[in-house]
Amino acid sequence: MTASPIPWVDLRPREDRAAVDAAIRRVLDRGWYVLGPEVDAFETEFAQATSSGQTIAVASGTDALTLILRALGIGPGDEVITTALSAVYTAQAVMMSGARPVFADIDPERLTLDPAAVATLVGPRTAAVMPVHLYGQPADLTAIRTLTQRHGLALIEDCCQAHLGTCDGVPVGTTGDAAAYSFYPTKNLGALGDGGAVCTGNGELAARIRRLRNGGQTERDQHTEPASHSRLDELQAAVLRARLPHLRDWTTRRRVLAGRYRSGLVGSAVRVPPELDAGHVYHLFPIRTAARDALRAHLRAQDIDTLVHFPVPIPAQPAFATTTPQSCPLADAVCDELVSLPLYPGLDDAAVDRVLAAVADWSGPDRG
Ligand SMILES: Cc1ncc(COP(=O)(O)O)c(C=O)c1O
């Protein structure tokens, strides 16, 4: 009997199926689709789950970041220091705000924004620092917070890959001025389409973001500033409410799977980035090898799917050609080596063992 393919991710509902079905039916039966009771309830429940002061549900993680910047008054003429290694949307949000991203290199172990690199880039135009809790591993918030406080800069946490993560025991998204979440379907908490949220303990900022996500409206027919729409719809909010009660167990399962990979990969031909904080929530499980394409081909031949997060450092994307070139050699090198192995709550132990056996069977250039 041939083994079934192991996809990189499987987004079909499982233990959440009945609740998701019921949530969709509830919204259809109610006939209320935008900014209604599901969004209100989700905002309360997500704020509680993340230990945040307030949640404002928006249309995507990219919008969440863009709206935070705009609501903080950051725009043309300002610079935002962020990481060269992330989903490109982190820096796209800065561009969309009218500010300019300034790229700092990564910590070689943690793979997140290096506070020492940030310190060298702070200048008169710097308005904010935007770390990313990449792959679910928290950035070094303690050091970054010290820096932003010393220079009077805003701190915006990109939590799009780190739902329920903690940094030194403190929930991610609660250290800075505001945090952005994505509910893109592959995220640790995923919708059936796009979605995002801002979390903040700053009431004034929250009120402005509520206006900015809704056409600048303060009350019916009162629009106090130019703005577009960026709203999570009722269907997505209802689905997210159905899934949120599972998130803690799903996170535990991610950690168990990551532990199985970690112990199984000791002595293999690949390098595994260390877990530098017990609050890592394993959105992804990237490994490193100088022969990334060969490893991917070897796994593909055994019906094991992988992806790369991310093959191109953000500053090298043409979209950022107008920004001041920054040298980020560590991010450049890592982008050539990363491979994300399958990891999602529905992945079973037998599949992980098959991946481990396939990697063990591969003699890449890093063994030794
Ligand atoms: C780290 C990070 N930031 C921002 C985003 C943007 O989120 P969205 O796709 O919901 O706009 C993503 C998702 O791709 C992400 O992974």
Side-chain angles (χ1 to χ4, degrees), residues 59-65 85-91 93 132-135 158-162 180-187 193-196 283-284 310:
S60 70
T62 310
D63 276 4
L65 290 166
L85 179 66
S86 178
V88 75
Y89 313 106
T90 305
V132 180
H133 305 306
L134 193 67
Y135 311 134
D158 182 337
C159 298
C160 291
Q161 300 191 359
Y181 286 86
S182 167
F183 306 121
Y184 183 76
T186 56
K187 298 302 192 219
D194 279 309
H283 172 54
L284 298 172
F310 300 91

PDB file of all heavy atoms in Angstrom, residues 59-65 85-91 93 132-135 158-162 180-187 193-196 283-284 310, ligand 1:
ATOM      1  N   ALA A  59     -10.122  43.990   8.140  1.00  0.00           N
ATOM      2  CA  ALA A  59     -10.230  43.093   6.985  1.00  0.00           C
ATOM      3  C   ALA A  59      -9.014  42.187   6.770  1.00  0.00           C
ATOM      4  O   ALA A  59      -9.125  41.176   6.076  1.00  0.00           O
ATOM      5  CB  ALA A  59     -10.481  43.920   5.719  1.00  0.00           C
ATOM      6  N   SER A  60      -7.867  42.536   7.317  1.00  0.00           N
ATOM      7  CA  SER A  60      -6.663  41.711   7.125  1.00  0.00           C
ATOM      8  C   SER A  60      -5.588  42.148   8.114  1.00  0.00           C
ATOM      9  O   SER A  60      -5.686  43.222   8.722  1.00  0.00           O
ATOM     10  CB  SER A  60      -6.122  41.867   5.696  1.00  0.00           C
ATOM     11  OG  SER A  60      -5.570  43.165   5.525  1.00  0.00           O
ATOM     12  N   GLY A  61      -4.537  41.322   8.199  1.00  0.00           N
ATOM     13  CA  GLY A  61      -3.398  41.694   9.037  1.00  0.00           C
ATOM     14  C   GLY A  61      -2.671  42.902   8.476  1.00  0.00           C
ATOM     15  O   GLY A  61      -2.180  43.753   9.224  1.00  0.00           O
ATOM     16  N   THR A  62      -2.599  42.964   7.157  1.00  0.00           N
ATOM     17  CA  THR A  62      -1.927  44.108   6.516  1.00  0.00           C
ATOM     18  C   THR A  62      -2.669  45.401   6.864  1.00  0.00           C
ATOM     19  O   THR A  62      -2.049  46.420   7.212  1.00  0.00           O
ATOM     20  CB  THR A  62      -1.884  43.915   4.981  1.00  0.00           C
ATOM     21  OG1 THR A  62      -1.368  42.625   4.700  1.00  0.00           O
ATOM     22  CG2 THR A  62      -1.034  44.967   4.308  1.00  0.00           C
ATOM     23  N   ASP A  63      -3.984  45.353   6.774  1.00  0.00           N
ATOM     24  CA  ASP A  63      -4.776  46.533   7.147  1.00  0.00           C
ATOM     25  C   ASP A  63      -4.587  46.873   8.623  1.00  0.00           C
ATOM     26  O   ASP A  63      -4.536  48.051   8.998  1.00  0.00           O
ATOM     27  CB  ASP A  63      -6.270  46.280   6.890  1.00  0.00           C
ATOM     28  CG  ASP A  63      -6.663  46.561   5.449  1.00  0.00           C
ATOM     29  OD1 ASP A  63      -5.776  46.876   4.636  1.00  0.00           O
ATOM     30  OD2 ASP A  63      -7.875  46.454   5.143  1.00  0.00           O
ATOM     31  N   ALA A  64      -4.516  45.845   9.462  1.00  0.00           N
ATOM     32  CA  ALA A  64      -4.345  46.104  10.901  1.00  0.00           C
ATOM     33  C   ALA A  64      -3.075  46.923  11.130  1.00  0.00           C
ATOM     34  O   ALA A  64      -3.096  47.937  11.839  1.00  0.00           O
ATOM     35  CB  ALA A  64      -4.295  44.785  11.669  1.00  0.00           C
ATOM     36  N   LEU A  65      -1.980  46.507  10.494  1.00  0.00           N
ATOM     37  CA  LEU A  65      -0.717  47.249  10.648  1.00  0.00           C
ATOM     38  C   LEU A  65      -0.823  48.662  10.075  1.00  0.00           C
ATOM     39  O   LEU A  65      -0.384  49.639  10.692  1.00  0.00           O
ATOM     40  CB  LEU A  65       0.418  46.493   9.940  1.00  0.00           C
ATOM     41  CG  LEU A  65       0.872  45.181  10.593  1.00  0.00           C
ATOM     42  CD1 LEU A  65       1.737  44.370   9.631  1.00  0.00           C
ATOM     43  CD2 LEU A  65       1.619  45.447  11.895  1.00  0.00           C
ATOM     44  N   LEU A  85      13.327  40.023   7.405  1.00  0.00           N
ATOM     45  CA  LEU A  85      12.794  38.669   7.206  1.00  0.00           C
ATOM     46  C   LEU A  85      11.404  38.566   7.815  1.00  0.00           C
ATOM     47  O   LEU A  85      11.233  38.541   9.035  1.00  0.00           O
ATOM     48  CB  LEU A  85      13.710  37.625   7.863  1.00  0.00           C
ATOM     49  CG  LEU A  85      13.236  36.170   7.747  1.00  0.00           C
ATOM     50  CD1 LEU A  85      13.249  35.700   6.298  1.00  0.00           C
ATOM     51  CD2 LEU A  85      14.083  35.242   8.613  1.00  0.00           C
ATOM     52  N   SER A  86      10.406  38.531   6.940  1.00  0.00           N
ATOM     53  CA  SER A  86       9.009  38.396   7.368  1.00  0.00           C
ATOM     54  C   SER A  86       8.187  38.183   6.109  1.00  0.00           C
ATOM     55  O   SER A  86       8.717  38.198   4.987  1.00  0.00           O
ATOM     56  CB  SER A  86       8.534  39.672   8.086  1.00  0.00           C
ATOM     57  OG  SER A  86       7.168  39.563   8.464  1.00  0.00           O
ATOM     58  N   ALA A  87       6.878  37.990   6.301  1.00  0.00           N
ATOM     59  CA  ALA A  87       5.973  38.109   5.159  1.00  0.00           C
ATOM     60  C   ALA A  87       6.099  39.553   4.674  1.00  0.00           C
ATOM     61  O   ALA A  87       6.194  40.482   5.480  1.00  0.00           O
ATOM     62  CB  ALA A  87       4.546  37.813   5.598  1.00  0.00           C
ATOM     63  N   VAL A  88       6.084  39.736   3.385  1.00  0.00           N
ATOM     64  CA  VAL A  88       6.339  41.053   2.815  1.00  0.00           C
ATOM     65  C   VAL A  88       5.324  42.104   3.303  1.00  0.00           C
ATOM     66  O   VAL A  88       5.600  43.303   3.334  1.00  0.00           O
ATOM     67  CB  VAL A  88       6.356  40.931   1.271  1.00  0.00           C
ATOM     68  CG1 VAL A  88       4.953  40.773   0.728  1.00  0.00           C
ATOM     69  CG2 VAL A  88       7.068  42.080   0.617  1.00  0.00           C
ATOM     70  N   TYR A  89       4.162  41.646   3.754  1.00  0.00           N
ATOM     71  CA  TYR A  89       3.066  42.547   4.142  1.00  0.00           C
ATOM     72  C   TYR A  89       3.420  43.424   5.338  1.00  0.00           C
ATOM     73  O   TYR A  89       2.872  44.506   5.499  1.00  0.00           O
ATOM     74  CB  TYR A  89       1.791  41.740   4.418  1.00  0.00           C
ATOM     75  CG  TYR A  89       1.556  40.747   3.318  1.00  0.00           C
ATOM     76  CD1 TYR A  89       1.791  39.388   3.505  1.00  0.00           C
ATOM     77  CD2 TYR A  89       1.180  41.181   2.048  1.00  0.00           C
ATOM     78  CE1 TYR A  89       1.630  38.487   2.465  1.00  0.00           C
ATOM     79  CE2 TYR A  89       1.021  40.284   1.009  1.00  0.00           C
ATOM     80  CZ  TYR A  89       1.247  38.939   1.220  1.00  0.00           C
ATOM     81  OH  TYR A  89       1.109  38.061   0.193  1.00  0.00           O
ATOM     82  N   THR A  90       4.317  42.951   6.183  1.00  0.00           N
ATOM     83  CA  THR A  90       4.748  43.777   7.319  1.00  0.00           C
ATOM     84  C   THR A  90       5.257  45.114   6.783  1.00  0.00           C
ATOM     85  O   THR A  90       4.861  46.187   7.250  1.00  0.00           O
ATOM     86  CB  THR A  90       5.890  43.058   8.087  1.00  0.00           C
ATOM     87  OG1 THR A  90       5.457  41.759   8.457  1.00  0.00           O
ATOM     88  CG2 THR A  90       6.297  43.836   9.314  1.00  0.00           C
ATOM     89  N   ALA A  91       6.128  45.036   5.787  1.00  0.00           N
ATOM     90  CA  ALA A  91       6.720  46.261   5.239  1.00  0.00           C
ATOM     91  C   ALA A  91       5.783  46.945   4.248  1.00  0.00           C
ATOM     92  O   ALA A  91       5.818  48.176   4.110  1.00  0.00           O
ATOM     93  CB  ALA A  91       8.053  45.927   4.584  1.00  0.00           C
ATOM     94  N   ALA A  93       2.709  47.323   4.694  1.00  0.00           N
ATOM     95  CA  ALA A  93       1.833  48.172   5.522  1.00  0.00           C
ATOM     96  C   ALA A  93       2.499  49.518   5.776  1.00  0.00           C
ATOM     97  O   ALA A  93       1.842  50.568   5.760  1.00  0.00           O
ATOM     98  CB  ALA A  93       1.531  47.464   6.840  1.00  0.00           C
ATOM     99  N   VAL A 132       8.440  41.496  14.411  1.00  0.00           N
ATOM    100  CA  VAL A 132       7.515  40.433  14.008  1.00  0.00           C
ATOM    101  C   VAL A 132       7.833  39.202  14.847  1.00  0.00           C
ATOM    102  O   VAL A 132       9.002  38.804  14.943  1.00  0.00           O
ATOM    103  CB  VAL A 132       7.715  40.092  12.514  1.00  0.00           C
ATOM    104  CG1 VAL A 132       6.751  38.980  12.085  1.00  0.00           C
ATOM    105  CG2 VAL A 132       7.531  41.331  11.647  1.00  0.00           C
ATOM    106  N   HIS A 133       6.817  38.603  15.422  1.00  0.00           N
ATOM    107  CA  HIS A 133       7.013  37.348  16.162  1.00  0.00           C
ATOM    108  C   HIS A 133       6.951  36.223  15.129  1.00  0.00           C
ATOM    109  O   HIS A 133       5.924  35.574  14.943  1.00  0.00           O
ATOM    110  CB  HIS A 133       5.962  37.221  17.260  1.00  0.00           C
ATOM    111  CG  HIS A 133       5.942  38.409  18.185  1.00  0.00           C
ATOM    112  ND1 HIS A 133       7.067  38.853  18.841  1.00  0.00           N
ATOM    113  CD2 HIS A 133       4.950  39.275  18.524  1.00  0.00           C
ATOM    114  CE1 HIS A 133       6.773  39.920  19.566  1.00  0.00           C
ATOM    115  NE2 HIS A 133       5.495  40.204  19.380  1.00  0.00           N
ATOM    116  N   LEU A 134       8.084  36.046  14.480  1.00  0.00           N
ATOM    117  CA  LEU A 134       8.120  35.269  13.242  1.00  0.00           C
ATOM    118  C   LEU A 134       8.070  33.769  13.498  1.00  0.00           C
ATOM    119  O   LEU A 134       8.811  33.255  14.340  1.00  0.00           O
ATOM    120  CB  LEU A 134       9.398  35.639  12.480  1.00  0.00           C
ATOM    121  CG  LEU A 134       9.476  35.179  11.037  1.00  0.00           C
ATOM    122  CD1 LEU A 134       8.437  35.905  10.179  1.00  0.00           C
ATOM    123  CD2 LEU A 134      10.872  35.413  10.471  1.00  0.00           C
ATOM    124  N   TYR A 135       7.265  33.090  12.731  1.00  0.00           N
ATOM    125  CA  TYR A 135       7.056  31.634  12.815  1.00  0.00           C
ATOM    126  C   TYR A 135       6.404  31.227  14.139  1.00  0.00           C
ATOM    127  O   TYR A 135       6.307  30.048  14.444  1.00  0.00           O
ATOM    128  CB  TYR A 135       8.380  30.856  12.649  1.00  0.00           C
ATOM    129  CG  TYR A 135       9.217  31.279  11.474  1.00  0.00           C
ATOM    130  CD1 TYR A 135      10.588  31.501  11.604  1.00  0.00           C
ATOM    131  CD2 TYR A 135       8.640  31.457  10.222  1.00  0.00           C
ATOM    132  CE1 TYR A 135      11.358  31.888  10.512  1.00  0.00           C
ATOM    133  CE2 TYR A 135       9.406  31.852   9.132  1.00  0.00           C
ATOM    134  CZ  TYR A 135      10.759  32.066   9.286  1.00  0.00           C
ATOM    135  OH  TYR A 135      11.516  32.448   8.208  1.00  0.00           O
ATOM    136  N   ASP A 158       3.926  42.935  15.324  1.00  0.00           N
ATOM    137  CA  ASP A 158       3.273  42.136  14.285  1.00  0.00           C
ATOM    138  C   ASP A 158       3.103  40.725  14.845  1.00  0.00           C
ATOM    139  O   ASP A 158       4.056  39.939  14.903  1.00  0.00           O
ATOM    140  CB  ASP A 158       4.126  42.131  13.006  1.00  0.00           C
ATOM    141  CG  ASP A 158       3.474  41.343  11.873  1.00  0.00           C
ATOM    142  OD1 ASP A 158       2.647  40.471  12.161  1.00  0.00           O
ATOM    143  OD2 ASP A 158       3.814  41.586  10.701  1.00  0.00           O
ATOM    144  N   CYS A 159       1.872  40.445  15.283  1.00  0.00           N
ATOM    145  CA  CYS A 159       1.546  39.147  15.905  1.00  0.00           C
ATOM    146  C   CYS A 159       0.834  38.228  14.921  1.00  0.00           C
ATOM    147  O   CYS A 159       0.163  37.273  15.333  1.00  0.00           O
ATOM    148  CB  CYS A 159       0.649  39.359  17.119  1.00  0.00           C
ATOM    149  SG  CYS A 159       1.394  40.333  18.434  1.00  0.00           S
ATOM    150  N   CYS A 160       0.958  38.514  13.627  1.00  0.00           N
ATOM    151  CA  CYS A 160       0.180  37.764  12.639  1.00  0.00           C
ATOM    152  C   CYS A 160       0.510  36.277  12.627  1.00  0.00           C
ATOM    153  O   CYS A 160      -0.285  35.466  12.166  1.00  0.00           O
ATOM    154  CB  CYS A 160       0.400  38.370  11.249  1.00  0.00           C
ATOM    155  SG  CYS A 160      -0.348  40.000  11.081  1.00  0.00           S
ATOM    156  N   GLN A 161       1.702  35.915  13.148  1.00  0.00           N
ATOM    157  CA  GLN A 161       2.076  34.493  13.187  1.00  0.00           C
ATOM    158  C   GLN A 161       2.179  33.995  14.626  1.00  0.00           C
ATOM    159  O   GLN A 161       2.801  32.957  14.864  1.00  0.00           O
ATOM    160  CB  GLN A 161       3.418  34.286  12.466  1.00  0.00           C
ATOM    161  CG  GLN A 161       3.390  34.699  11.003  1.00  0.00           C
ATOM    162  CD  GLN A 161       4.623  34.242  10.224  1.00  0.00           C
ATOM    163  OE1 GLN A 161       5.529  33.628  10.764  1.00  0.00           O
ATOM    164  NE2 GLN A 161       4.644  34.553   8.934  1.00  0.00           N
ATOM    165  N   ALA A 162       1.579  34.704  15.574  1.00  0.00           N
ATOM    166  CA  ALA A 162       1.899  34.378  16.973  1.00  0.00           C
ATOM    167  C   ALA A 162       0.700  34.425  17.928  1.00  0.00           C
ATOM    168  O   ALA A 162       0.866  34.760  19.098  1.00  0.00           O
ATOM    169  CB  ALA A 162       2.993  35.311  17.465  1.00  0.00           C
ATOM    170  N   ALA A 180      -0.879  43.796  15.711  1.00  0.00           N
ATOM    171  CA  ALA A 180      -1.703  43.396  14.565  1.00  0.00           C
ATOM    172  C   ALA A 180      -1.765  41.880  14.480  1.00  0.00           C
ATOM    173  O   ALA A 180      -0.741  41.193  14.660  1.00  0.00           O
ATOM    174  CB  ALA A 180      -1.096  43.956  13.278  1.00  0.00           C
ATOM    175  N   TYR A 181      -2.947  41.368  14.187  1.00  0.00           N
ATOM    176  CA  TYR A 181      -3.163  39.929  13.973  1.00  0.00           C
ATOM    177  C   TYR A 181      -3.749  39.712  12.595  1.00  0.00           C
ATOM    178  O   TYR A 181      -4.512  40.544  12.094  1.00  0.00           O
ATOM    179  CB  TYR A 181      -4.136  39.365  15.018  1.00  0.00           C
ATOM    180  CG  TYR A 181      -3.528  39.210  16.387  1.00  0.00           C
ATOM    181  CD1 TYR A 181      -3.525  40.281  17.283  1.00  0.00           C
ATOM    182  CD2 TYR A 181      -2.957  38.012  16.788  1.00  0.00           C
ATOM    183  CE1 TYR A 181      -2.958  40.157  18.543  1.00  0.00           C
ATOM    184  CE2 TYR A 181      -2.392  37.872  18.048  1.00  0.00           C
ATOM    185  CZ  TYR A 181      -2.393  38.942  18.918  1.00  0.00           C
ATOM    186  OH  TYR A 181      -1.829  38.817  20.168  1.00  0.00           O
ATOM    187  N   SER A 182      -3.424  38.558  12.015  1.00  0.00           N
ATOM    188  CA  SER A 182      -4.042  38.131  10.755  1.00  0.00           C
ATOM    189  C   SER A 182      -4.845  36.869  11.017  1.00  0.00           C
ATOM    190  O   SER A 182      -4.428  36.015  11.812  1.00  0.00           O
ATOM    191  CB  SER A 182      -2.952  37.817   9.724  1.00  0.00           C
ATOM    192  OG  SER A 182      -3.508  37.133   8.612  1.00  0.00           O
ATOM    193  N   PHE A 183      -5.979  36.754  10.348  1.00  0.00           N
ATOM    194  CA  PHE A 183      -6.756  35.511  10.395  1.00  0.00           C
ATOM    195  C   PHE A 183      -6.827  34.870   9.010  1.00  0.00           C
ATOM    196  O   PHE A 183      -7.780  34.170   8.677  1.00  0.00           O
ATOM    197  CB  PHE A 183      -8.166  35.775  10.952  1.00  0.00           C
ATOM    198  CG  PHE A 183      -8.153  36.469  12.288  1.00  0.00           C
ATOM    199  CD1 PHE A 183      -8.777  37.708  12.447  1.00  0.00           C
ATOM    200  CD2 PHE A 183      -7.502  35.911  13.369  1.00  0.00           C
ATOM    201  CE1 PHE A 183      -8.753  38.364  13.665  1.00  0.00           C
ATOM    202  CE2 PHE A 183      -7.461  36.562  14.596  1.00  0.00           C
ATOM    203  CZ  PHE A 183      -8.090  37.794  14.750  1.00  0.00           C
ATOM    204  N   TYR A 184      -5.823  35.148   8.190  1.00  0.00           N
ATOM    205  CA  TYR A 184      -5.687  34.467   6.901  1.00  0.00           C
ATOM    206  C   TYR A 184      -5.817  32.958   7.178  1.00  0.00           C
ATOM    207  O   TYR A 184      -5.385  32.478   8.232  1.00  0.00           O
ATOM    208  CB  TYR A 184      -4.304  34.819   6.315  1.00  0.00           C
ATOM    209  CG  TYR A 184      -4.051  34.248   4.952  1.00  0.00           C
ATOM    210  CD1 TYR A 184      -4.636  34.813   3.829  1.00  0.00           C
ATOM    211  CD2 TYR A 184      -3.233  33.127   4.789  1.00  0.00           C
ATOM    212  CE1 TYR A 184      -4.408  34.273   2.572  1.00  0.00           C
ATOM    213  CE2 TYR A 184      -3.001  32.587   3.542  1.00  0.00           C
ATOM    214  CZ  TYR A 184      -3.599  33.162   2.430  1.00  0.00           C
ATOM    215  OH  TYR A 184      -3.382  32.630   1.193  1.00  0.00           O
ATOM    216  N   PRO A 185      -6.434  32.191   6.253  1.00  0.00           N
ATOM    217  CA  PRO A 185      -6.797  30.810   6.592  1.00  0.00           C
ATOM    218  C   PRO A 185      -5.677  29.931   7.165  1.00  0.00           C
ATOM    219  O   PRO A 185      -5.950  29.042   7.974  1.00  0.00           O
ATOM    220  CB  PRO A 185      -7.300  30.261   5.252  1.00  0.00           C
ATOM    221  CG  PRO A 185      -7.855  31.464   4.550  1.00  0.00           C
ATOM    222  CD  PRO A 185      -6.964  32.609   4.945  1.00  0.00           C
ATOM    223  N   THR A 186      -4.421  30.160   6.768  1.00  0.00           N
ATOM    224  CA  THR A 186      -3.356  29.284   7.277  1.00  0.00           C
ATOM    225  C   THR A 186      -2.865  29.670   8.670  1.00  0.00           C
ATOM    226  O   THR A 186      -2.061  28.955   9.263  1.00  0.00           O
ATOM    227  CB  THR A 186      -2.118  29.336   6.354  1.00  0.00           C
ATOM    228  OG1 THR A 186      -1.702  30.700   6.247  1.00  0.00           O
ATOM    229  CG2 THR A 186      -2.419  28.777   4.973  1.00  0.00           C
ATOM    230  N   LYS A 187      -3.325  30.802   9.197  1.00  0.00           N
ATOM    231  CA  LYS A 187      -2.782  31.266  10.481  1.00  0.00           C
ATOM    232  C   LYS A 187      -3.229  30.353  11.628  1.00  0.00           C
ATOM    233  O   LYS A 187      -4.155  29.566  11.472  1.00  0.00           O
ATOM    234  CB  LYS A 187      -3.240  32.706  10.760  1.00  0.00           C
ATOM    235  CG  LYS A 187      -2.756  33.703   9.720  1.00  0.00           C
ATOM    236  CD  LYS A 187      -1.250  33.739   9.577  1.00  0.00           C
ATOM    237  CE  LYS A 187      -0.777  34.908   8.763  1.00  0.00           C
ATOM    238  NZ  LYS A 187       0.331  34.587   7.863  1.00  0.00           N
ATOM    239  N   GLY A 193     -11.494  33.085   4.912  1.00  0.00           N
ATOM    240  CA  GLY A 193     -11.130  34.115   3.949  1.00  0.00           C
ATOM    241  C   GLY A 193     -10.188  35.054   4.676  1.00  0.00           C
ATOM    242  O   GLY A 193      -9.545  34.654   5.644  1.00  0.00           O
ATOM    243  N   ASP A 194     -10.121  36.297   4.218  1.00  0.00           N
ATOM    244  CA  ASP A 194      -9.234  37.251   4.890  1.00  0.00           C
ATOM    245  C   ASP A 194      -9.858  37.791   6.169  1.00  0.00           C
ATOM    246  O   ASP A 194     -11.086  37.866   6.305  1.00  0.00           O
ATOM    247  CB  ASP A 194      -8.939  38.422   3.945  1.00  0.00           C
ATOM    248  CG  ASP A 194      -7.850  38.077   2.936  1.00  0.00           C
ATOM    249  OD1 ASP A 194      -6.787  37.593   3.369  1.00  0.00           O
ATOM    250  OD2 ASP A 194      -8.069  38.276   1.728  1.00  0.00           O
ATOM    251  N   GLY A 195      -8.999  38.203   7.073  1.00  0.00           N
ATOM    252  CA  GLY A 195      -9.464  38.836   8.309  1.00  0.00           C
ATOM    253  C   GLY A 195      -8.268  39.281   9.111  1.00  0.00           C
ATOM    254  O   GLY A 195      -7.149  38.784   8.911  1.00  0.00           O
ATOM    255  N   GLY A 196      -8.483  40.227  10.003  1.00  0.00           N
ATOM    256  CA  GLY A 196      -7.385  40.686  10.843  1.00  0.00           C
ATOM    257  C   GLY A 196      -7.928  41.430  12.045  1.00  0.00           C
ATOM    258  O   GLY A 196      -9.150  41.635  12.179  1.00  0.00           O
ATOM    259  N   HIS A 283       3.766  28.669  14.571  1.00  0.00           N
ATOM    260  CA  HIS A 283       2.958  28.868  13.365  1.00  0.00           C
ATOM    261  C   HIS A 283       3.575  28.056  12.223  1.00  0.00           C
ATOM    262  O   HIS A 283       2.868  27.444  11.422  1.00  0.00           O
ATOM    263  CB  HIS A 283       2.893  30.353  13.015  1.00  0.00           C
ATOM    264  CG  HIS A 283       2.257  30.619  11.692  1.00  0.00           C
ATOM    265  ND1 HIS A 283       1.010  30.143  11.361  1.00  0.00           N
ATOM    266  CD2 HIS A 283       2.710  31.259  10.589  1.00  0.00           C
ATOM    267  CE1 HIS A 283       0.720  30.498  10.124  1.00  0.00           C
ATOM    268  NE2 HIS A 283       1.731  31.163   9.633  1.00  0.00           N
ATOM    269  N   LEU A 284       4.907  28.076  12.164  1.00  0.00           N
ATOM    270  CA  LEU A 284       5.617  27.325  11.126  1.00  0.00           C
ATOM    271  C   LEU A 284       6.758  26.556  11.786  1.00  0.00           C
ATOM    272  O   LEU A 284       7.183  26.879  12.899  1.00  0.00           O
ATOM    273  CB  LEU A 284       6.192  28.287  10.074  1.00  0.00           C
ATOM    274  CG  LEU A 284       5.179  29.126   9.290  1.00  0.00           C
ATOM    275  CD1 LEU A 284       5.905  30.156   8.434  1.00  0.00           C
ATOM    276  CD2 LEU A 284       4.297  28.247   8.418  1.00  0.00           C
ATOM    277  N   PHE A 310      10.985  32.667   4.094  1.00  0.00           N
ATOM    278  CA  PHE A 310      10.577  33.303   2.845  1.00  0.00           C
ATOM    279  C   PHE A 310      11.786  33.250   1.927  1.00  0.00           C
ATOM    280  O   PHE A 310      12.904  33.464   2.406  1.00  0.00           O
ATOM    281  CB  PHE A 310      10.106  34.728   3.113  1.00  0.00           C
ATOM    282  CG  PHE A 310       8.918  34.726   4.064  1.00  0.00           C
ATOM    283  CD1 PHE A 310       9.106  34.809   5.436  1.00  0.00           C
ATOM    284  CD2 PHE A 310       7.630  34.586   3.584  1.00  0.00           C
ATOM    285  CE1 PHE A 310       8.004  34.779   6.306  1.00  0.00           C
ATOM    286  CE2 PHE A 310       6.536  34.576   4.454  1.00  0.00           C
ATOM    287  CZ  PHE A 310       6.722  34.656   5.809  1.00  0.00           C
TER     288      PHE A 310
HETATM  289  C1  LIG B   1       4.141  38.268   9.756  1.00  0.00           C
HETATM  290  C2  LIG B   1       2.965  38.685   8.935  1.00  0.00           C
HETATM  291  N1  LIG B   1       2.623  39.996   8.891  1.00  0.00           N
HETATM  292  C3  LIG B   1       1.569  40.419   8.184  1.00  0.00           C
HETATM  293  C4  LIG B   1       0.793  39.534   7.456  1.00  0.00           C
HETATM  294  C5  LIG B   1      -0.351  40.071   6.673  1.00  0.00           C
HETATM  295  O1  LIG B   1      -1.571  39.481   7.046  1.00  0.00           O
HETATM  296  P1  LIG B   1      -2.766  39.399   5.961  1.00  0.00           P
HETATM  297  O2  LIG B   1      -2.381  38.350   4.985  1.00  0.00           O
HETATM  298  O3  LIG B   1      -3.952  39.006   6.794  1.00  0.00           O
HETATM  299  O4  LIG B   1      -2.906  40.743   5.381  1.00  0.00           O
HETATM  300  C6  LIG B   1       1.106  38.181   7.475  1.00  0.00           C
HETATM  301  C7  LIG B   1       0.315  37.201   6.716  1.00  0.00           C
HETATM  302  O5  LIG B   1       0.649  36.827   5.627  1.00  0.00           O
HETATM  303  C8  LIG B   1       2.225  37.735   8.226  1.00  0.00           C
HETATM  304  O6  LIG B   1       2.574  36.456   8.253  1.00  0.00           O
END
